[in-house]
C-alpha cells in the first residue's frame, strides 16, 4: 500500500490554522491571504572557511504576515532549517504576536548549517554575509530579527553591526543583543521565565502545588536551561533534562546548577556523575507532572504520543507536537499548553528591547519581569477563558484568538 507523503512543518502548522479558520468562519480568500507568507527570500551565503575553502550555505527570511505591525521573528542556525520549516515558524510568530497582543507581525529566518561544527570566526563571517544578503528586507519599522535555535546575543551583535555598517547605528534592528550593546535586562531568561509564568498559572487552576511538582525538560539551551533553573528555584523537582547528546534522570531531582556547571566543562551529559542516563526518547516518556519539550519540532508524534505519561505538556519549543500527536494526547485527556502561548516571553521582552532602543533608554530588570508577567498572565487567562467558553482545547483557543485578531486588523486596514 502506498504510504501517505510526510507533511511538511508548514502543512502541519496549517492544520491548526485551518481548523481555527473554520471555527472563525473565515471565507476562502481571507483564509488564503492569512495562510500564505507575504514575502519570502532565499539567499546563498558563501563563507570562507578557516582552511581557505569556500562553503555556500542556504539562508532564508520569510515575512509571513505584517497586518498588525513590523515583522518579528528569530533567526535559526540548524541543519533542518529549510524553507518549509522557516515558513512554519514564521506563521507561528504571526499568531503568537497577535495572541499576546504586541504590535508586530510574524517572520522567521534561518541558515541551514550545523553551528556546532563551525568556528567562532566562521560563524561571524556566515552571520555577516547572511545579514548583508537579507538587509534590504529588514528595518526598525519593517522587520526585526532575534535569536532562535543555534543563535544567541553574540549573533545579534554581529547582525546589528553588519546592518549598521550600511545604514548607520541602528540598535533597534535586532533584539536579543548583549546588554552592553543595546540589549534589554531580562531578555536572555525571558522565554524560560515566560514558560514558568504559564506553568504557575495552570498549576493554580489545576490545584497542583508547584513545590515538589515533577518536571521533565527536553533541551538545555537558552529556553530549556532557564526553564529548568527557574522552576528549581521555585521548589519544583526537575527529574529529567536532556540535550542533543542524550538525557539524564534522577528520581530525587537533578541539581540544575550542577548540570549547568557540568555543561561548561563537558560537551555531554553522559559523563555527569550521580545521575542515570537515558535517550531523548525515553526522557519524553517519563512519568511527571509537567513535560516541557524545549528543543526541536516534531519530537512528540504518532509513534510515541500514546506512551507520554505527563499530566500536562508545556510546549516551550516551537511545534514539538505533530497534529496526530496532538489528537492522541487530547483524546487521552492530557492538556497541552501551546507554543504560541508558552514561549511568547522571548518576543514580549524583545518588544520591550525594541521600545527601549527607539527611546535610547534602559529599563531595570524588575520592570521587565513585572511587565512580562502581566502580559503572559493576561494571555493565559484569555486562552483559558476562551477554551472554557467554547469547549475547545488550549491550542484551539490560542489559535482562535491569534488568527481572529490578525483577520480583523487586516480587514480594518483596508488593503484588500
Ligand atoms: P538553543 O540552541 O539555545 O538550544 C537548543 C537545545 O536543544 C540544545 O540543548 C540542543 O542540544 C537541544 N537539541 C537540539 N536538537 C535536538 C534534538 N534533535 N533532540 C534533543 N535535543 C536537541 O535553542 P533555544 O533558543 O533554547 O530554542 C529551543 C526552542 O525554543 C526552539 O524550538 C525555539 O524555536 C524555541 N524558542 C526559542 C526562543 C528564544 O528566545 N531563544 C523563543 C521562542 C521559542
Amino acid at each position: 500500500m502506498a504510504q501517505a507523503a510526510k507533511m511538511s512543518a508548514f502543512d502541519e502548522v496549517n492544520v491548526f490554522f485551518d481548523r481555527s479558520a473554520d471555527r472563525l468562519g473565515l471565507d476562502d480568500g481571507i483564509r488564503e491571504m492569512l495562510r500564505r507568507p507575504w514575502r519570502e527570500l532565499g539567499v546563498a551565503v558563501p563563507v570562507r572557511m578557516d582552511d581557505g575553502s569556500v562553503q555556500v550555505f542556504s539562508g532564508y527570511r520569510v515575512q509571513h504576515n505584517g497586518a498588525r505591525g513590523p515583522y518579528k521573528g528569530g533567526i535559526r542556525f540548524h541543519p533542518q532549517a529549510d524553507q518549509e520549516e522557516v515558513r512554519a515558524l514564521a506563521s507561528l510568530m504571526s499568531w503568537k504576536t497577535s495572541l499576546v497582543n504586541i504590535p508586530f507581525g510574524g517572520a522567521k529566518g534561518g541558515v541551514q548549517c550545523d553551528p556546532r561544527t563551525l568556528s567562532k570566526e566562521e560563524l561571524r563571517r556566515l552571520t555577516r554575509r547572511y545579514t548583508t544578503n537579507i538587509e534590504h528586507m529588514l528595518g526598525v519599522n519593517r522587520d526585526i530579527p532575534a535569536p532562535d535555535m543555534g543563535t544567541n546575543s553574540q549573533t545579534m551583535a554581529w547582525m546589528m553591526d553588519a546592518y549598521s555598517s550600511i545604514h548607520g547605528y541602528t540598535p533597534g534592528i535586532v533584539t536579543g543583543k548583549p546588554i552592553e550593546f543595546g540589549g534589554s535586562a531580562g531578555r536572555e531568561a525571558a522565554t524560560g521565565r515566560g514558560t514558568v509564568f504559564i506553568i504557575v498559572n495552570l498549576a493554580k487552576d489545576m490545584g497542583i502545588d508547584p513545590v515538589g511538582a515533577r518536571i521533565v525538560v527536553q533541551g538545555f539551551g537558552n529556553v530549556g536551561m532557564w526553564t529548568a533553573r527557574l522552576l528549581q528555584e521555585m521548589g519544583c523537582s526537575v527529574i529529567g533534562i536532556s540535550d542533543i547528546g542524550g538525557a539524564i534522570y534522577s528520581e530525587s531531582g537533578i541539581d540544575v546548577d550542577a548540570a549547568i556547571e557540568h555543561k561548561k566543562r563537558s560537551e555531554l551529559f553522559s559523563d555527569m556523575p550521580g545521575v542515570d542516563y537515558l535517550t531523548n526518547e525515553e526522557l519524553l516518556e517519563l512519568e511527571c507532572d509537567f513535560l516541557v519539550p524545549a528543543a526541536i519540532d516534531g519530537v512528540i508524534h504518532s509513534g510515541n504520543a500514546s506512551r507520554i505519561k505527563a499530566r500536562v505538556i508545556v510546549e516551550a519549543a516551537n511545534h514539538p507536537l505533530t497534529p496526530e500527536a496532538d489528537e492522541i494526547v487530547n483524546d487521552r485527556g492530557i492538556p497541552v499548553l501551546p507554543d504560541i502561548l508558552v514561549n511568547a516571553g522571548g518576543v514580549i521582552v524583545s518588544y520591550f528591547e525594541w521600545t527601549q532602543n527607539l527611546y535610547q533608554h534602559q529599563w531595570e530588570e524588575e520592570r521587565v519581569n513585572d511587565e512580562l508577567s502581566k502580559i503572559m498572565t493576561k494571555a493565559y487567562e484569555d486562552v483559558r477563558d476562551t477554551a472554557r467558553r467554547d469547549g475547545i482545547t488550549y491550542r484551539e483557543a490560542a489559535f482562535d484568538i491569534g488568527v481572529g485578531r490578525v483577520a480583523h486588523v487586516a480587514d480594518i486596514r483596508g488593503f484588500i
Side-chain angles (χ1 to χ4, degrees):
M1 205 169 73
Q3 278 224 313
K6 189 180 174 316
M7 283 174 117
S8 73
F10 188 50
D11 290 339
E12 287 190 346
V13 168
N14 280 327
V15 170
F16 301 129
F17 165 77
D18 280 326
R19 290 181 191 153
S20 181
D22 286 343
R23 284 189 299 278
L24 294 168
L26 300 181
D27 73 37
D28 288 349
I30 302 291
R31 190 184 290 240
E32 181 64 4
M33 176 192 72
L34 295 178
R35 188 192 291 112
R36 277 169 61 162
W38 286 10
R39 190 179 291 120
E40 301 187 317
L41 182 63
V43 292
V45 186
V47 178
R48 174 81 58 194
M49 307 303 279
D50 292 345
D51 67 4
S53 65
V54 174
Q55 258 194 55
V56 184
F57 298 89
S58 298
Y60 306 95
R61 184 71 182 167
V62 173
Q63 296 176 334
H64 178 262
N65 188 293
R68 297 183 63 264
Y71 299 98
K72 188 89 190 78
I75 304 288
R76 177 173 287 200
F77 287 178
H78 194 273
Q80 285 165 24
D82 60 15
Q83 188 148 9
E84 284 291 299
E85 184 182 75
V86 175
R87 273 184 190 143
L89 295 166
S91 73
L92 285 175
M93 286 304 296
S94 300
W95 317 137
K96 185 182 307 180
T97 51
S98 170
L99 168 64
V100 298
N101 217 356
I102 55 176
F104 289 125
K108 205 81 181 186
V111 178
Q112 204 161 17
C113 67
D114 185 350
R116 292 176 311 159
T117 64
L118 301 175
S119 71
K120 188 170 178 188
E121 266 305 292
E122 288 167 344
L123 277 171
R124 186 183 64 81
R125 291 194 285 269
L126 178 143
T127 304
R128 296 187 74 94
R129 186 73 256 161
Y130 169 67
T131 307
T132 47
N133 286 3
I134 64 165
E135 152 280 315
H136 58 288
M137 278 174 98
L138 307 181
V140 172
N141 293 309
R142 193 179 289 271
D143 185 353
I144 307 124
D148 190 71
M149 217 156 71
T151 56
N152 54 26
S153 58
Q154 173 64 81
T155 324
M156 294 304 112
W158 290 329
M159 284 193 81
M160 178 190 148
D161 187 70
Y163 186 88
S164 295
S165 63
I166 303 166
H167 297 272
Y169 183 69
T170 321
I173 192 59
V174 286
T175 57
K177 298 178 293 295
I179 296 200
E180 60 274 34
F181 194 44
S184 175
R187 173 61 183 88
E188 204 202 311
T191 309
R193 194 177 296 282
T195 301
V196 172
F197 288 142
I198 296 296
I199 291 177
V200 168
N201 275 295
L202 184 84
K204 199 162 92 195
D205 282 341
M206 287 181 74
I208 301 175
D209 185 356
V211 175
R214 289 154 58 84
I215 312 284
V216 170
V217 182
Q218 183 189 42
F220 206 61
N222 174 283
V223 180
M225 188 273 282
W226 277 105
T227 303
R229 187 174 176 179
L230 295 170
L231 286 171
Q232 183 164 71
E233 275 176 22
M234 268 175 33
C236 299
S237 178
V238 179
I239 60 167
I241 54 180
S242 76
D243 68 3
I244 193 167
I248 52 175
Y249 166 72
S250 168
E251 182 54 35
S252 57
I254 294 164
D255 179 344
V256 176
D257 292 328
I260 294 169
E261 281 310 307
H262 179 82
K263 285 296 287 180
K264 285 183 190 158
R265 294 188 302 271
S266 171
E267 265 284 291
L268 294 171
F269 275 133
S270 56
D271 50 3
M272 186 168 156
V275 290
D276 296 328
Y277 310 116
L278 303 176
T279 63
N280 263 289
E281 291 71 29
E282 289 167 330
L283 175 99
L284 293 170
E285 296 173 21
L286 287 173
E287 206 173 310
C288 60
D289 293 305
F290 296 98
L291 170 62
V292 187
I296 189 152
D297 3 330
V299 291
I300 303 178
H301 43 75
S302 55
N304 64 0
S306 59
R307 294 196 296 274
I308 300 295
K309 296 181 204 70
R311 271 174 89 177
V312 183
I313 300 173
V314 183
E315 292 187 329
N318 281 310
H319 191 45
L321 269 76
T322 64
E324 297 84 4
D326 195 55
E327 248 176 78
I328 294 168
V329 296
N330 286 338
D331 289 346
R332 294 181 55 221
I334 302 174
V336 180
L337 287 161
D339 46 10
I340 59 173
L341 172 66
V342 173
N343 68 32
V347 74
I348 293 169
V349 177
S350 276
Y351 165 49
F352 301 156
E353 180 175 331
W354 179 73
T355 310
Q356 291 168 70
N357 291 154
L358 295 184
Y359 289 96
Q360 291 290 327
H361 184 69
Q362 279 213 316
W363 296 2
E364 301 283 338
E365 183 169 354
E366 202 183 340
R367 176 172 178 195
V368 170
N369 293 345
D370 280 354
E371 301 271 340
L372 172 64
S373 168
K374 278 186 217 154
I375 297 183
M376 291 298 296
T377 301
K378 167 84 173 73
Y380 168 79
E381 288 170 355
D382 287 349
V383 168
R384 178 199 60 195
D385 295 348
T386 303
R388 282 183 186 160
R389 186 195 65 206
D390 296 349
I392 54 181
T393 66
Y394 294 120
R395 188 190 309 282
E396 288 168 339
F399 266 79
D400 287 4
I401 298 168
V403 173
R405 280 193 188 130
V406 177
H408 175 65
V409 173
D411 183 36
I412 56 179
R413 278 183 73 150
F415 54 67
I416 40 173

